[in-house]
Amino acid sequence: MADPSRLRPDDRADFEAVLHHALGTADIRDALGADPAGRAAAHLRAHALDHTDDIAAAADEPYRSYLAVRRAARHEVRGPLGTGTLLPALVVLTPLVAGTSAAALLLTGALLHLADTLGPLPGSLVAAGWTLALVAAVTGLVTLAALLHTALRRRGATPATDQVEHARLVWRQELLDRGMLPHLRRHLVPHPGTAITPCSPPDTLTPCPARAREDRTPCSD
């Protein structure tokens, strides 16, 4: 069984949508805007996609809740004819086959009676026809009841759908706040054309004054 904390393939589109939204956040967009060629943005996006599971793990609890609600909703809206076995096909086909067979037997028996055929065959065919007609009627009612039950369940599935959508939105928000934005901000790379000078700590981009650059001496207080 797959680890519940790992991102499911069908949730990959949501992950990429959150990534796209995060890349458009003001501070990240401004930082990436220093590279007009877009290489920094492409690198950051590729890095996030390469670390999908690590980023998704930050929102593990809401993701598990989302999966549980989605699984419950799918089970709830699955009707009695959707069991994944041969039963649905049998329930639907039985009244059709029985009704067709009953009509054929009754017609054959009636023709034999009209032809004054001797022996028990005409009566046996008619009796079998009526038996099959009864089977067709009973199974038809069962099928109709099952279909009606399924329709009513699906009609009442809107609250379940709303719960799934709510859980999905909660997960996406947590993924953005706890996972995606912190990851992108940690891995923002300064524009390669910007020099870091001895005047500033290595993590800042404040240039030396012009006179200090000309004297080629470190800035001092």
Side-chain angles (χ1 to χ4, degrees):
M1 182 176 178
D3 182 0
S5 64
R6 292 181 64 86
L7 194 67
R8 298 293 195 275
D10 50 345
D11 296 320
R12 184 88 178 185
D14 277 326
F15 181 89
E16 294 185 7
V18 171
L19 172 58
H20 178 76
H21 179 73
L23 289 172
T25 303
D27 60 326
I28 296 176
R29 183 182 65 246
D30 293 343
L32 295 176
D35 178 15
R39 291 188 298 269
H43 173 79
L44 191 61
R45 185 178 188 278
H47 189 275
L49 292 176
D50 288 340
H51 293 78
T52 296
D53 288 333
D54 294 335
I55 297 173
D60 179 65
E61 183 176 348
Y63 185 54
R64 288 172 182 263
S65 299
Y66 169 48
L67 292 180
V69 172
R70 186 172 68 184
R71 185 165 49 248
R74 287 176 178 174
H75 178 74
E76 180 180 342
V77 300
R78 187 181 301 141
L81 297 183
T83 59
T85 66
L86 291 177
L87 181 60
L90 291 176
V91 170
V92 173
L93 292 177
T94 298
L96 296 177
V97 174
T100 303
S101 300
L105 291 175
L106 290 172
L107 179 60
T108 303
L111 291 175
L112 292 177
H113 272 300
L114 291 175
D116 293 329
T117 302
L118 299 178
L121 181 58
S124 299
L125 292 176
V126 171
W130 283 116
T131 301
L132 287 176
L134 179 61
V135 171
V138 172
T139 54
L141 289 175
V142 171
T143 302
L144 181 61
L147 292 175
L148 181 60
H149 181 63
T150 300
L152 291 175
R153 287 173 65 93
R154 290 180 177 174
R155 183 180 178 182
T158 301
T161 303
D162 291 343
Q163 290 175 6
V164 172
E165 184 62 19
H166 175 72
R168 174 173 170 265
L169 293 177
V170 170
W171 165 62
R172 285 182 50 151
Q173 187 65 46
E174 293 295 309
L175 177 64
L176 176 68
D177 295 338
R178 295 185 183 181
M180 192 68 71
L181 289 175
H183 179 89
L184 296 182
R185 287 165 179 158
R186 282 196 306 268
H187 293 87
L188 275 174
V189 179
H191 186 262
T194 306
I196 299 176
T197 70
C199 318
S200 311
D203 59 342
T204 65
L205 302 176
T206 306
C208 294
R211 183 176 57 80
R213 290 200 303 270
E214 292 174 357
D215 295 340
R216 297 180 179 276
T217 59
C219 299
S220 57
D221 296 335

